[in-house]
Amino acid sequence: GPDRPELKPLMTNSTTAGRLIAELSKCGIHLAPDALDEEAVASRGGNWAAKDESVEQKLCEELAALAAGFDVANDPSAKGLPSGRCSVRLRETAMYVAAASGQETTMDYDTLLVERDHASKSFQNAMDCGALPAPGVKCQLVQGGSASGNPETDRPFDDSLAPGAESHVFLARAARPVASEEAFDRVG
């Protein structure tokens, strides 16, 4: 490992992921962006906003609950989403799917949008129905976009609901249309 005295305790003691990130930050290795990072990017003419804490927390909690049955990937097409919205790519895990000898199993990712209720189209279109209780965050599968770097095939992020999708407070309910019962059996 690195020969840095400030990192020695981190290399020998067991800890949680959150504590490790906090301790690394104290050592000058910042893995969790904050408001100071946002200011630094803006001062250099960049455009980046820290995510709303309740949205980010909801996304982490919901993804952790489904980790045994789903794969998660970055969504480059969602780069410009505002602070009250997060997007990732989600699919039923291919780990348990058998492929023919020499063949690779391919399963498409769907786009998951987690957002503050007040930022959602459903809230904007039906304000008289009221808002979700705290934390006021919902999940839904959306059309998404693509950002491969090829201008001929890339398309901007589309937050329209995916076919057959509905908004839900829990990700497991939102993901039902695109996953098997077996995937949900694996997550308990």
Side-chain angles (χ1 to χ4, degrees):
D3 188 21
R4 304 284 309 254
E6 63 270 22
L7 297 178
K8 292 253 190 256
L10 299 177
M11 295 169 56
T12 58
N13 299 332
S14 179
T15 186
T16 64
R19 173 64 51 208
L20 177 61
I21 289 172
E23 292 299 322
L24 284 169
S25 185
K26 289 178 187 174
C27 297
I29 302 170
H30 305 291
L31 301 176
D34 60 20
L36 292 175
D37 295 308
E38 186 175 350
E39 290 173 19
V41 170
S43 73
R44 291 176 177 83
N47 183 15
W48 173 77
K51 291 299 178 184
D52 180 287
E53 189 175 325
S54 62
V55 173
E56 196 169 27
Q57 181 175 348
K58 175 74 168 177
L59 178 62
C60 291
E61 289 171 359
E62 294 292 323
L63 290 175
L66 296 181
F70 292 83
D71 297 330
V72 179
N74 179 40
D75 184 2
S77 72
K79 185 177 180 182
L81 290 180
S83 64
R85 307 175 96 197
C86 291
S87 179
V88 296
R89 307 280 289 148
L90 181 77
R91 71 175 181 190
E92 184 173 344
T93 187
M95 181 177 289
Y96 305 103
V97 178
S101 179
Q103 299 280 325
E104 185 176 318
T105 300
T106 58
M107 298 174 73
D108 290 336
Y109 280 93
D110 292 287
T111 302
L112 168 71
L113 177 64
V114 177
E115 64 184 341
R116 303 236 356 113
D117 185 33
H118 285 40
S120 71
K121 284 184 179 180
S122 61
F123 179 81
Q124 300 302 321
N125 293 331
M127 288 184 183
D128 57 326
C129 292
L132 290 175
V137 178
K138 64 170 115 184
C139 310
Q140 60 261 334
L141 296 172
V142 297
Q143 296 290 332
S146 63
S148 63
N150 181 346
E152 292 181 22
T153 59
D154 283 356
R155 55 187 172 81
F157 188 84
D158 179 354
D159 63 359
S160 302
L161 284 176
E166 296 178 344
S167 293
H168 290 281
V169 174
F170 299 106
L171 173 53
R173 295 278 313 267
R176 286 256 177 223
V178 296
S180 68
E181 284 302 316
E182 188 176 311
F184 289 103
D185 290 344
R186 284 192 288 275
V187 300

